[in-house]
Amino acid sequence: EVQLVESGGGLIQPWDSLRLSCAASGFTFSTYFMSWVRQAPGKGLEWVANIKEDGSDKYYVDSVEGRFTISRDNAKNSVYLHMNSLRVEDTAVYYCVRGSGWYDPFDMWGQGTMVTVSS
Amino acid sequence: EIVLTQSPATLSLSLGERATLSCRASQSVSSYLAWYQQKLGQAPRLLIYDASNRATGIPARFSGSGSGTDFTLTISSLAPEDFAVYYCQQRSKWPLTFGGGTKVEIK
């Protein structure tokens, strides 16, 4: 069974940093693009970042470029989202997603981890 | 950035009725459009990719059509588990974008 399990969310103050993790299982992790998609409370979906199978290419939405970094460890079947200089508007549920949304669809989603940025 | 406009915002229908959801793009996305379903409190699920291809395990009552700027998701006969929010997403141009969603609710 394909599983994506996120962790690392929580309540954090503006300008602080946080790292989200996603543990994958049930598929050959190293052969898939991986992505992060977020959803602010009561709002729609927003693609945040994705990373190529071998980690060589990474893409970001403009609003997080320079503040967030996506990375992966294929030996640990894990993908990460390092978030710096967090803003109130970054408050959202962050989903770990299999696929790039570009070369292939977002075909499997984790249950999400909530990040709340508030003073 | 390509803007996807979904309509209506809310669709109130009864069990067994046909649902027709629209997604309009601000510029052509060819057939590079996907549809996702999100039930309350759950993660989204892929329904349709490349405008008309059903994802693995998706019932045949779900179908997608369209190309260019106008797309439709049709649910031929609503089942209880179909009441949810539906999002479209384009992969024609960076950044990847989603529509604002259509909520299908029980009338």
Side-chain angles (χ1 to χ4, degrees), chain A residues 27-34 51-54 72 74 98-100 104 107:
Chain A
F27 64 101
T28 307
F29 180 76
S30 61
T31 65
Y32 285 86
F33 247 93
M34 295 297 296
I51 185 168
K52 197 176 177 181
E53 295 89 336
D54 62 0
R72 66 190 295 161
N74 286 346
R98 189 176 77 173
S100 65
D104 50 0
D107 69 344

Side-chain angles (χ1 to χ4, degrees), chain B residues 4-52:
Chain B
L4 299 177
T5 302
Q6 292 188 241
S7 61
T10 303
L11 197 52
S12 299
L13 294 168
S14 302
L15 288 173
E17 285 197 292
R18 182 184 190 89
T20 303
L21 287 67
S22 173
C23 177
R24 178 164 289 179
S26 58
Q27 58 185 274
S28 177
V29 299
S30 186
S31 294
Y32 301 133
L33 192 102
W35 291 93
Y36 300 85
Q37 176 194 64
Q38 186 177 33
K39 297 178 184 178
L40 189 64
Q42 296 186 17
R45 175 175 73 146
L46 175 67
L47 296 177
I48 302 285
Y49 64 94
D50 291 348
S52 60

Side-chain angles (χ1 to χ4, degrees), chain A residues 90-103:
Chain A
D90 294 318
T91 294
V93 174
Y94 285 74
Y95 293 103
C96 172
V97 188
R98 189 176 77 173
S100 65
W102 179 262
Y103 301 107

Side-chain angles (χ1 to χ4, degrees), chain A residues 7-95:
Chain A
S7 60
L11 174 62
I12 195 157
Q13 294 195 331
W15 295 103
D16 277 356
S17 300
L18 196 64
R19 188 185 84 157
L20 305 182
S21 300
C22 171
S25 60
F27 64 101
T28 307
F29 180 76
S30 61
T31 65
Y32 285 86
F33 247 93
M34 295 297 296
S35 302
W36 288 94
V37 175
R38 68 184 178 183
Q39 186 170 35
K43 302 296 184 182
L45 302 168
E46 180 184 36
W47 166 73
V48 174
N50 55 25
I51 185 168
K52 197 176 177 181
E53 295 89 336
D54 62 0
S56 60
D57 290 322
K58 306 172 186 181
Y59 304 90
Y60 301 91
V61 69
D62 282 353
S63 60
V64 309
E65 181 87 57
R67 299 189 300 122
F68 289 12
T69 302
I70 189 171
S71 63
R72 66 190 295 161
D73 184 338
N74 286 346
K76 295 183 178 180
N77 288 347
S78 293
V79 62
Y80 308 98
L81 187 66
H82 307 255
M83 303 184 294
N84 295 324
S85 302
L86 281 160
R87 304 167 180 170
V88 171
E89 55 265 34
D90 294 318
T91 294
V93 174
Y94 285 74
Y95 293 103

Side-chain angles (χ1 to χ4, degrees), chain B residues 22-93:
Chain B
S22 173
C23 177
R24 178 164 289 179
S26 58
Q27 58 185 274
S28 177
V29 299
S30 186
S31 294
Y32 301 133
L33 192 102
W35 291 93
Y36 300 85
Q37 176 194 64
Q38 186 177 33
K39 297 178 184 178
L40 189 64
Q42 296 186 17
R45 175 175 73 146
L46 175 67
L47 296 177
I48 302 285
Y49 64 94
D50 291 348
S52 60
N53 297 289
R54 268 192 306 277
T56 303
I58 301 304
R61 65 179 180 273
F62 290 92
S63 63
S65 64
S67 66
T69 60
D70 290 300
F71 298 85
T72 300
L73 174 70
T74 301
I75 311 171
S76 60
S77 178
L78 280 165
E81 62 268 29
D82 299 338
F83 293 93
V85 180
Y86 293 83
Y87 295 96
C88 55
Q89 176 246 323
Q90 64 83 22
R91 66 177 185 92
S92 174
K93 188 176 179 181

